[in-house]
C-alpha cells in the first residue's frame, strides 16, 4: 500500500502571515528573574492578581446549573445591563439592545474583527504606531494590509476600511481628548471608514479622565460608523472569565451578530450572569482602583528614583518608562534584580527604547520591587 500523502501545508500558510509571538522572546529573561533569591516580581503582563469580587462569584455560582446553549446576543437582562452601564458610565445616549453585543473577551474580537467584517486583500486596517500587537495580527489573519499612524486624519483613506483607536493606550497610557476623538470620528465619517475604539482601560484614569467615542461630545449623539470595545477583565478582575462587549452602530453589530451566530462565538451563560452583577456594582470598582493607585504611586516613585523617565502613563495599568537605552538592555538589567518587565518593541519599533511596567502585582511583590530598585 502506498504511503499516505502528507497533510496540506495550508494551516502553516495562515500562521506564516503572523509575526513571532512576542512573549516567547521574553522567556529567557523570565527564567533569569525567577532565579532571584526572593523570587520573581512579574510586572510584564497586566493580568489581575486580586480576587474576583464576591458579588460576581455569587452570580456565577447561582447560574452554574445552565445546561442549555447560551445565545450569542446574550440574555435580555445582560443587554439591559450593557445599555444601562454604557449610558451611565460612558454618557452614551439612546442605546437599544441592537447597539450592544457580548463577546468572548476583547482579544478574540481584536484578532478576528477584520475577518468578520469581510476584509481581505486590497483592504487596509490602521492602528496607532505604538499599539497592542493584536491589531496587526487581526489585519494579517484577514489578509488585509496593516497600516500604522501617528495622526489618523493624515492617513490616505483609499482602501482604508477599519480604523482602530485606543484610549487609554496600551502600552503608553496616553489618553486622547474629546477634541482629538471628535476630529477623528468626523474625518472617518467623511471618508466612510469604520472607527472601532478600544476602551478597555477607560475606568483606569489617573492623571486624566478618559472619554468614550460614544460620548455625545465626540460622536454628536449619533452612533453611525463607530463601535466601542469594553472589557471587564481589568475593572472587575475578570480576565479569567473572558467577559467583554461591544457598543455602537446597530448596523455593524447586527452583521457581527449574524456572523458570530454561525461560528458559535457565545459567552457562557454563567459568565453572562457574572457580567450583569459586575456591571451593576460600583463598590468593587472603587476598591480595585484604590489598590492600583497605591501600587502605581509606589512603583512610579521607585523607578524614577532608579533613573527612569516616565512618559504619558496618565491612565491604564502601566508605566511607560525609559532610561534612554535599548529596551532589551533594560529588560536584562531588571531581570538580574528579579524584576520582569515588557520590552517596548513588542508594541512597535517606536518603543524600542522603552519598557512597559505593569502595576498588577500583589502589594507584597510591589514592595519587593521597590526594595530592589532602591539605590
Amino acid at each position: 500500500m502506498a504511503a499516505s500523502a502528507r497533510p496540506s501545508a495550508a494551516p502553516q500558510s495562515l500562521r506564516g502571515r503572523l509575526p513571532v509571538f512576542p512573549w516567547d522572546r521574553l522567556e529567557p529573561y523570565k527564567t533569569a528573574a525567577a532565579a532571584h533569591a526572593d523570587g520573581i516580581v512579574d510586572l510584564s503582563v497586566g493580568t489581575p492578581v486580586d480576587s474576583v469580587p464576591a458579588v460576581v462569584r455569587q452570580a456565577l455560582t447561582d447560574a452554574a446549573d445552565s445546561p442549555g446553549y447560551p445565545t450569542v446576543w446574550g440574555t435580555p437582562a445582560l443587554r439591559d445591563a450593557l445599555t444601562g452601564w454604557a449610558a451611565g458610565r460612558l454618557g452614551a445616549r439612546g442605546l437599544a439592545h441592537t447597539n450592544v453585543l457580548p463577546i468572548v473577551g476583547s482579544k478574540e474580537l481584536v484578532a478576528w474583527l477584520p475577518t468578520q467584517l469581510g476584509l481581505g486583500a486590497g483592504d487596509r486596517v490602521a492602528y496607532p504606531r505604538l499599539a497592542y500587537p493584536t491589531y496587526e495580527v487581526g489585519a494579517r489573519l484577514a489578509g488585509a494590509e496593516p497600516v500604522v499612524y501617528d495622526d489618523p486624519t493624515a492617513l490616505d483613506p483609499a482602501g482604508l476600511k477599519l480604523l482602530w483607536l485606543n484610549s487609554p493606550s496600551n502600552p503608553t497610557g496616553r489618553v486622547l481628548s474629546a477634541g482629538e476623538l471628535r476630529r477623528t470620528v468626523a474625518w472617518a465619517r467623511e471618508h466612510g471608514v469604520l472607527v472601532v475604539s478600544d476602551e478597555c482601560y477607560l475606568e483606569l484614569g489617573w492623571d486624566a479622565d478618559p472619554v468614550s467615542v460614544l460620548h455625545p461630545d465626540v460622536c454628536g449623539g449619533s452612533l453611525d460608523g463607530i463601535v466601542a470595545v469594553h472589557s471587564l477583565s481589568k475593572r472587575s478582575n475578570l480576565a479569567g472569565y473572558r467577559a467583554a462587549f461591544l457598543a455602537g452602530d446597530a448596523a455593524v453589530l447586527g452583521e457581527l451578530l449574524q456572523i458570530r451566530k454561525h461560528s458559535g462565538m457565545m459567552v457562557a451563560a454563567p459568565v453572562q450572569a457574572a457580567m450583569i452583577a459586575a456591571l451593576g456594582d460600583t463598590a468593587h470598582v472603587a476598591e480595585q482602583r484604590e489598590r492600583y493607585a497605591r501600587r502605581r504611586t509606589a512603583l512610579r516613585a521607585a523607578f524614577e528614583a532608579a533613573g527612569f523617565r516616565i512618559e504619558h502613563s496618565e491612565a491604564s495599568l502601566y508605566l511607560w518608562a525609559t532610561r534612554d537605552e535599548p529596551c532589551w538592555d533594560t529588560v536584562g538589567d531588571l531581570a538580574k534584580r528579579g524584576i520582569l518587565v515588557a520590552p517596548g518593541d513588542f508594541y512597535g519599533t517606536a518603543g524600542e527604547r522603552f519598557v512597559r511596567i505593569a502595576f498588577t502585582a500583589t502589594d507584597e511583590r510591589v514592595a519587593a520591587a521597590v526594595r530592589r530598585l532602591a539605590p
Side-chain angles (χ1 to χ4, degrees):
M1 181 180 295
S4 59
R6 293 175 63 88
S8 167
Q12 291 186 352
S13 67
L14 180 59
R15 186 183 66 191
R17 297 179 188 174
L18 306 180
V20 174
F21 187 62
W23 295 97
D24 290 344
R25 297 165 54 200
L26 199 58
E27 284 300 316
Y29 299 90
K30 185 175 184 179
T31 299
H36 190 280
D38 186 37
I40 188 173
V41 177
D42 192 344
L43 307 178
S44 66
V45 182
T47 188
V49 297
D50 302 299
S51 293
V52 172
V55 65
V56 177
R57 283 182 279 144
Q58 186 62 55
L60 184 82
T61 300
D62 290 346
D65 187 11
S66 298
Y69 289 111
T71 64
V72 173
W73 199 16
T75 63
L78 175 57
R79 299 197 296 270
D80 281 343
L82 296 177
T83 55
W85 181 86
R89 182 62 183 84
L90 307 180
R93 294 177 182 168
L95 293 184
H97 283 193
T98 52
N99 297 116
V100 293
L101 180 64
I103 54 177
V104 191
S106 59
K107 184 170 184 175
E108 66 91 349
L109 184 281
V110 173
W112 292 107
L113 181 61
T115 298
Q116 292 174 16
L117 291 172
L119 306 189
D123 297 323
R124 300 163 70 226
V125 175
Y127 52 89
R129 186 173 302 279
L130 277 168
Y132 185 47
T134 312
Y135 302 133
E136 177 186 358
V137 166
R140 294 190 180 282
L141 283 171
E145 178 189 355
V147 180
V148 299
Y149 66 78
D150 296 306
D151 175 0
T153 65
L155 287 164
D156 179 355
L160 183 62
K161 299 296 178 64
L162 172 59
L163 172 63
W164 282 105
L165 299 179
N166 181 210
S167 175
S169 163
N170 175 15
T172 68
R174 182 188 174 199
V175 173
L176 298 176
S177 69
E180 290 174 298
L181 292 170
R182 182 169 56 248
R183 182 168 63 96
T184 298
V185 167
W187 178 90
R189 285 173 170 168
E190 178 185 352
H191 296 288
V193 179
L194 175 64
V195 173
V196 181
S197 181
D198 182 348
E199 302 175 356
C200 290
Y201 295 92
L202 184 136
E203 293 206 83
L204 294 162
W206 311 110
D207 302 324
D209 187 13
V211 62
S212 172
V213 73
L214 303 181
H215 194 282
D217 288 349
V218 174
C219 68
S222 169
L223 302 179
D224 291 349
I226 56 172
V227 174
V229 184
H230 282 271
S231 169
L232 277 67
S233 293
K234 315 301 185 183
R235 50 103 63 194
S236 298
N237 298 335
L238 297 189
Y241 283 44
R242 311 315 302 135
F245 63 95
L246 304 178
D249 190 323
V252 175
L253 298 192
E255 286 293 310
L256 292 177
L257 174 58
Q258 296 306 315
I259 292 165
R260 294 171 71 85
K261 283 181 179 179
H262 280 293
S263 51
M265 290 179 155
M266 58 190 76
V267 176
V271 173
Q272 292 189 33
M275 291 175 70
I276 295 169
L279 291 166
D281 180 72
T282 58
H284 77 272
V285 180
E287 291 172 4
Q288 190 60 46
R289 276 183 56 87
E290 290 176 3
R291 294 187 190 103
Y292 284 142
R294 292 195 304 270
R295 294 165 186 168
R296 177 180 183 268
T297 297
L299 285 171
R300 179 165 193 152
F303 274 94
E304 287 179 334
F308 286 81
R309 185 175 73 255
I310 309 297
E311 294 192 0
H312 298 301
S313 307
E314 57 260 33
S316 83
L317 291 176
Y318 312 107
L319 298 173
W320 187 239
T322 182
R323 287 194 307 200
D324 295 309
E325 64 184 5
C327 60
W328 287 99
D329 290 352
T330 308
V331 170
D333 179 65
L334 290 172
K336 294 174 184 175
R337 306 190 201 193
I339 300 171
L340 188 68
V341 298
D345 67 0
F346 278 9
Y347 309 95
T349 56
E352 60 189 8
R353 298 179 75 82
F354 286 81
V355 294
R356 193 194 72 172
I357 302 161
F359 42 88
T360 53
T362 64
D363 291 343
E364 184 274 332
R365 288 289 84 188
V366 167
V370 170
R371 291 193 300 271
R372 296 175 196 182
L373 289 165

